[in-house]
Amino acid sequence: STFPSGIPSLSFRPSISPSNAPSASANPSDSPVTSTPTQVPSKAPVVPVKTFFNDANINSGLLNLNNKAQIIACGSTNTEMVRKLGIDDSTAELTVEVPESGDYAVNVSYLSKGNRPLTIQVNNDAVKEFLFESSSQYWCNESGGGIGTTAVLRIELEGFIEGSNTITFGGGDLNNKSMPLLEWISIVPK
C-alpha cells in the first residue's frame, strides 16, 4: 500500500507467533507464572522542619543565676535565640521526630561573634564537640548599632532512634566556655 503522496507505507509483522513465543516455564504445559503486586509499607521521608530554640527545654546551672542559659529576643534577626549555653552546665534540649533509626544531618542556625565551640549530644549518647565559625562582627543587640547576622552549619549526628529523640546542646567538657547563640535546627536527609 502507499500513502496518497505516492510514498510506500511500511508494514510490520511480528516475527514471533503464538506457537514460537518464549515461555516463562521450561515445560509448555505448565501454566504461566503471574504475580500480584503488593504494597510494601515505606517510612515517611524526612521533611526538613525547623525546630526553634524558643521551644527548647532550658536546663540552667545553679551556681550563678545571672549567667544561666536563656531565651533572648534578637533584634537583628527578629527571632528568639538561646544564649549562655555551657555556662554553669546549662543546656538546651530539643525533641525531634525521625522516621527510622540511624544517622542524620542537622542544620543549625546560629549567631556568633568569633569562633565558638558547641557540644551536642543525641539521646544521652557520647557528647560531641563542633566548631561554629564566626558569622558576624556583632551580637544580636550589641550597642553601637551593629547588626548580628546568622549562619547555618550542617553537622552529622549519630544515634537517632525511630520516633522521638532528644538533642542536647551545651554542657560537656566545654563547661563555662562561651558558645554561639542558637536560633533553630532542621533534620535533613543525608
Side-chain angles (χ1 to χ4, degrees):
S1 70
T2 60
F3 286 109
S5 64
I7 299 173
S9 64
L10 300 176
S11 172
F12 293 100
R13 292 192 182 117
S15 61
I16 298 176
S17 66
S19 61
N20 70 355
S23 172
S25 63
N27 185 348
S29 66
D30 290 345
S31 61
V33 176
T34 60
S35 65
T36 304
T38 57
Q39 276 192 316
V40 177
S42 64
K43 302 285 182 181
V46 175
V47 177
V49 175
K50 289 182 182 176
T51 304
F52 288 85
F53 277 91
N54 61 353
D55 294 328
N57 179 23
I58 305 295
N59 300 307
S60 296
L62 300 175
L63 298 177
N64 184 348
L65 294 180
N66 292 327
N67 255 350
K68 65 182 181 175
Q70 57 191 266
I71 302 292
I72 62 163
C74 184
S76 61
T77 63
N78 205 25
T79 61
E80 293 180 325
M81 295 188 168
V82 66
R83 71 174 183 168
K84 296 189 178 181
L85 289 173
I87 296 176
D88 292 337
D89 239 1
S90 58
T91 60
E93 293 179 349
L94 290 176
T95 301
V96 296
E97 300 283 327
V98 296
E100 59 189 38
S101 298
D103 302 341
Y104 286 86
V106 178
N107 286 336
V108 181
S109 176
Y110 71 98
L111 189 149
S112 185
K113 180 180 175 179
N115 296 342
R116 307 274 174 167
L118 178 67
T119 55
I120 302 175
Q121 181 181 35
V122 177
N123 297 327
N124 295 318
D125 283 349
V127 174
K128 298 205 175 176
E129 179 182 329
F130 297 91
L131 178 64
F132 285 68
E133 293 182 353
S134 181
S135 67
S136 180
Q137 294 180 353
Y138 303 98
W139 290 110
C140 281
N141 305 314
E142 193 167 341
S143 61
I147 297 177
T149 55
T150 60
V152 175
L153 178 65
R154 183 180 177 126
I155 58 175
E156 305 289 323
L157 293 178
E158 302 169 346
F160 286 91
I161 59 171
E162 181 179 344
S164 183
N165 293 267
T166 300
I167 306 175
T168 304
F169 298 81
D173 292 335
L174 297 177
N175 193 25
N176 291 320
K177 290 189 179 177
S178 294
M179 296 187 185
L181 304 180
L182 302 178
E183 182 180 28
W184 54 260
I185 66 166
S186 67
I187 309 293
V188 294
K190 281 179 83 171

